[in-house]
Amino acid sequence: QVQLVESGGGLVQAGASLRLSCVVSGRTFSSYYMGWFRQAPGKEREFVAGITRSGYGVYYADSVKGRFIISRDNGKNTTYLQMNSLKPEDTAVYYCAATLNIERMTDGMDYWGKGTLVTVSS
């Protein structure tokens, strides 16, 4: 049973920083490609960031490039999303996702968390 649990969301003001965490259980964490997605009210879910199994390959949506940093600690079975210089348009439910197949990193993923809400006020 693969389970993903996100944490770290909350209400912050524009310009603030926030770090999201995703703890994965049920399988060997280092075997998974990991990613973060988000869904804002009235919009479809979108890709935010992804990271390869070793952590040396990272990918970002243009909207967050230079502000967000994805990382992982395979010893803690945890993936992080460090969010800096937050903007009101970053407001969304953020989801952690995992896959064993690199082909599904940005086009689907296989396992999903329930999400954590990030609200950025101006």
Side-chain angles (χ1 to χ4, degrees):
Q1 299 282 9
V2 178
Q3 294 183 314
L4 288 71
V5 180
E6 305 97 332
S7 63
L11 173 63
V12 298
Q13 294 185 336
S17 296
L18 205 59
R19 189 176 78 162
L20 306 183
S21 298
C22 173
V23 180
V24 181
S25 63
R27 290 285 187 177
T28 301
F29 179 71
S30 61
S31 296
Y32 290 95
Y33 300 92
M34 301 297 301
W36 288 93
F37 293 73
R38 68 186 182 186
Q39 186 168 25
K43 296 184 178 180
E44 295 185 359
R45 185 167 58 192
E46 65 176 346
F47 171 80
V48 175
I51 188 168
T52 58
R53 293 177 295 182
S54 67
Y56 286 104
V58 294
Y59 310 90
Y60 298 98
D62 289 340
S63 59
V64 306
K65 195 172 299 182
R67 298 189 297 122
F68 290 11
I69 301 173
I70 186 172
S71 63
R72 66 190 299 161
D73 186 338
N74 289 349
K76 294 183 177 181
N77 289 3
T78 303
T79 293
Y80 305 95
L81 184 67
Q82 177 67 45
M83 304 184 294
N84 300 314
S85 301
L86 283 163
K87 304 175 181 179
E89 52 261 44
D90 293 320
T91 295
V93 176
Y94 283 72
Y95 298 91
C96 179
T99 182
L100 291 171
N101 190 341
I102 191 171
E103 300 294 333
R104 296 184 59 78
M105 280 189 67
T106 58
D107 67 354
M109 291 292 200
D110 295 310
Y111 307 100
W112 295 85
K114 294 183 178 180
T116 185
L117 178 63
V118 173
T119 302
V120 184
S121 62
S122 59

